[in-house]
Amino acid sequence: MSRAVPPRLLAACATTVLAAGLFAAPAAQADPGPGITGPTVRPGTYLADARTDGCSATGTPGWVTVSYPGPALFATTDAPAARFELWDANGAKVLDTTATANPIGEVQTSIADLAEGAGYSWQVRPEYPSGPGTPGVTCRFGVDRTPPTGLGVHSDDFPSSGSSTYAGQPGVFTFAATDAGSGLACFRYVLDGTLSTTSGCTPGPGVVVPGADGTASVTLTPAGWGTHNLQVQAFDHAGNPTQPLPYTFYAPWNPNPPKALGDVDNDGVPDILLPDSQGNLLVIGGAAGSTAPTTVVPAARSPWGGSWNGLQIVHKGWSGGGAPADTIYVRNAAPGNNGYLYQYVNQGALPLGVRTPSLAGHSKSCVDLAMEPTTCPADHSTTYKAVQQLVAFGSVDAQNPEGITLLDVEQGNLWLQHDPSRSGGSTRLTTTGLWDGYDLIAPGPDANGNLALWSREQSTGTLRAYAVPKLGEGSYDYSALADPANGAVIGSFPVADYPTLGSSGDLDGDGRADLYAVTPGRHLVTFKGVGTPKDLGAIA
């Protein structure tokens, strides 16, 4: 059943119903004359997320969804008046009227209650005292006021009643709808959140384009156990939305949850955390084949409430909270920063930032390699303000192999910060002061619990590796870290080519840690180990 929709526009994708033959002008099209410029429909038509006036002889016009007072036809002219003519798809003239130009040469008219359908064509001709001038180009549009019908959601993984798939595991959800007018344009969806319709079908998170059969499938991961609500809405190419459709399902608790250091979204796979151009934080699965995020953390949920850009974000290990997913640490590394380190204890229920982060203070006490209290040196920092590099190193606590230990550079030396959530003490690892000018990368532990550190020399791009083997009694041998120049060279990654270089651990599950990098053009590149680069595409 058709119903009127308030005037609005929508970004639209090309559809087969807009075949060129539907919009053939009833007469030969003339070149634009000097007396007419800027013909357009108001409020307008949209196509592929850009405004189109439908006045190209070869382009595909968009659709309007207005009813009364109907679309406004608009142009500018150097004549005192202009004549508007409008034809339907059969060539029958449905409007022939003259409008007087205003003082700045604008002319417009409108027509109400146009029948729905493609194929409307119109022209504007200047009217001079001496007679009619040359008509402008032929412009075209379609009218659709009826929203899609038959919206539905189906999932074998998370059916609306019962489920054999656990929380923290991915599931496929299939959306379906039909539209007999302008055609189905997209589905918008959100899991456990508020459905946004302000951007229509503009590409982005929570928007999927259907196939020719009117269906689209997305893979979603309900993080926490319990009842979840998926909201879905369909749009056609004219911008008509359906009412939001709720789909409720239950995700049971996983009695054997996956564990992987570097995992943020609780799916057992390490994740890469990077900000997008809008300041949102993207959680990108390490095994993904593109930069499509599993989760988008809004910019407003950063510790400073404005953007995740310019912040240092580290994760590898967890400090409790109910799920084996990484605790995330965030600091402002810009000069003049406040020295604070913020901690998000991850309960496996993203999006990160729903809860207020806590401050993780820099330890004011020191411990030796045996974790016994010792006197701090005079240059020991008590805030993170002077920290030059910071990585989540991997636990060095034999009693808590999945816990948190941070490694940083202060005054040119390497320091361990034990369990920042409890200010577990600082341990100075080097005294040579040689670590200025190096980027730290922590690949995490291997299968035997041995640790390692990688460094990139900022001036040359040389990547070096340093073994930190686990000793029999559970402690570690840090002797290889005394001089950064003595590490084993394992590659070259110039800063100019890879401004961002890091590791979240074993991304592809082959048993060895992997690098990732971001290029100056904001492409995410992953590596098998430190070789075989794979470009996952641009970060939005």
Side-chain angles (χ1 to χ4, degrees):
M1 180 177 69
S2 175
R3 65 180 180 87
V5 177
R8 63 177 297 160
L9 304 178
L10 178 70
C13 305
T15 177
T16 55
V17 300
L18 293 178
L22 288 176
F23 290 92
Q29 180 172 315
D31 292 332
I36 295 293
T37 57
T40 189
V41 177
R42 287 189 176 180
T45 62
Y46 276 73
L47 184 70
D49 301 318
R51 182 182 291 274
T52 173
D53 55 22
C55 297
S56 168
T58 58
T60 304
W63 292 80
V64 295
T65 185
V66 294
S67 60
Y68 183 81
L73 311 181
F74 173 87
T76 57
T77 181
D78 60 1
R83 179 184 176 188
F84 290 86
E85 296 175 284
L86 175 67
W87 298 269
D88 65 18
N90 298 316
K93 186 177 289 186
V94 294
L95 176 69
D96 190 341
T97 188
T98 300
T100 301
N102 67 16
I104 60 174
E106 296 175 332
V107 287
Q108 68 174 1
T109 189
S110 63
I111 181 171
D113 299 323
L114 286 176
E116 293 189 66
Y120 287 99
S121 306
W122 62 283
Q123 287 182 328
V124 187
R125 182 190 302 271
E127 295 285 345
Y128 298 100
S130 58
T134 302
V137 294
T138 298
C139 304
R140 304 164 293 160
F141 62 86
V143 176
D144 180 7
R145 294 186 289 271
T146 305
T149 59
L151 176 62
V153 179
H154 174 80
S155 176
D156 291 328
D157 298 313
F158 291 103
S160 56
S161 178
S163 177
S164 59
T165 307
Y166 296 117
Q169 294 179 335
V172 176
F173 297 81
T174 299
F175 313 143
T178 60
D179 189 89
S182 55
L184 199 61
C186 77
F187 297 99
R188 291 192 70 92
Y189 63 92
V190 64
L191 178 61
D192 298 329
T194 301
L195 187 65
S196 171
T197 61
T198 57
S199 299
C201 286
T202 302
V207 178
V208 62
V209 176
D213 63 352
T215 68
S217 294
V218 298
T219 300
L220 303 173
T221 303
W225 67 273
T227 300
H228 296 269
N229 183 36
L230 175 64
Q231 295 274 333
V232 183
Q233 193 169 27
F235 289 81
D236 63 20
H237 287 289
N240 300 301
T242 65
Q243 291 296 316
L245 175 69
Y247 179 82
T248 302
F249 64 95
Y250 184 84
W253 169 257
N254 188 347
N256 298 297
K259 292 184 177 183
L261 291 178
D263 177 21
V264 169
D265 55 10
N266 201 24
D267 64 355
V269 179
D271 299 296
I272 299 169
L273 273 58
L274 295 169
D276 65 14
S277 59
Q278 304 302 311
N280 305 306
L281 183 63
L282 307 182
V283 180
I284 302 171
S290 71
T291 57
T294 61
T295 305
V296 178
V297 185
R301 289 179 176 161
S302 77
W304 284 268
S307 176
W308 292 93
N309 279 303
L311 305 182
Q312 190 170 20
I313 304 162
V314 300
H315 63 100
K316 198 175 280 100
W318 48 89
S319 57
D326 279 3
T327 298
I328 292 94
Y329 292 90
V330 183
R331 66 180 289 264
N332 185 346
N337 70 83
N338 58 15
Y340 294 158
L341 181 70
Y342 289 89
Q343 172 184 268
Y344 291 89
V345 176
N346 191 340
Q347 296 180 336
L350 293 175
L352 178 72
V354 172
R355 295 169 299 280
T356 302
S358 59
L359 280 175
H362 192 293
S363 180
K364 295 178 172 56
S365 62
C366 295
V367 294
D368 60 20
L369 293 179
M371 298 297 292
E372 296 296 328
T374 187
T375 302
C376 292
D379 61 354
H380 175 242
S381 296
T382 56
T383 74
Y384 287 91
K385 190 170 186 177
V387 167
Q388 298 159 291
Q389 294 285 320
L390 180 71
V391 291
F393 188 47
S395 176
V396 299
D397 182 355
Q399 304 304 314
N400 186 16
E402 295 152 346
I404 301 284
T405 304
L406 301 181
L407 178 68
D408 65 30
V409 177
E410 300 176 22
Q411 294 85 39
N413 284 310
L414 296 178
W415 287 80
L416 292 177
Q417 308 297 339
H418 301 278
D419 194 354
S421 64
R422 297 182 301 204
S423 296
S426 303
T427 301
R428 186 167 63 177
L429 296 180
T430 68
T431 59
T432 57
L434 298 175
W435 280 93
D436 288 336
Y438 290 85
D439 295 323
L440 302 187
I441 300 166
D446 64 16
N448 297 317
N450 298 303
L451 292 171
L453 179 67
W454 296 344
S455 79
R456 175 174 63 174
E457 191 171 5
Q458 295 168 354
S459 62
T460 65
T462 300
L463 185 70
R464 296 180 174 90
Y466 314 84
V468 183
K470 187 175 183 179
L471 304 178
E473 75 280 8
S475 63
Y476 289 84
D477 179 2
Y478 301 98
S479 59
L481 304 180
D483 186 345
N486 289 339
V489 176
I490 58 174
S492 178
F493 296 85
V495 174
D497 297 332
Y498 302 104
T500 298
L501 192 66
S503 176
S504 292
D506 182 8
L507 300 179
D508 55 12
D510 66 354
R512 61 175 182 169
D514 305 299
L515 274 178
Y516 70 83
V518 179
T519 69
R522 292 185 54 78
H523 276 238
L524 175 60
V525 181
T526 58
F527 300 83
K528 287 185 69 65
V530 297
T532 317
K534 179 181 179 181
D535 190 334
L536 271 60
I539 303 169

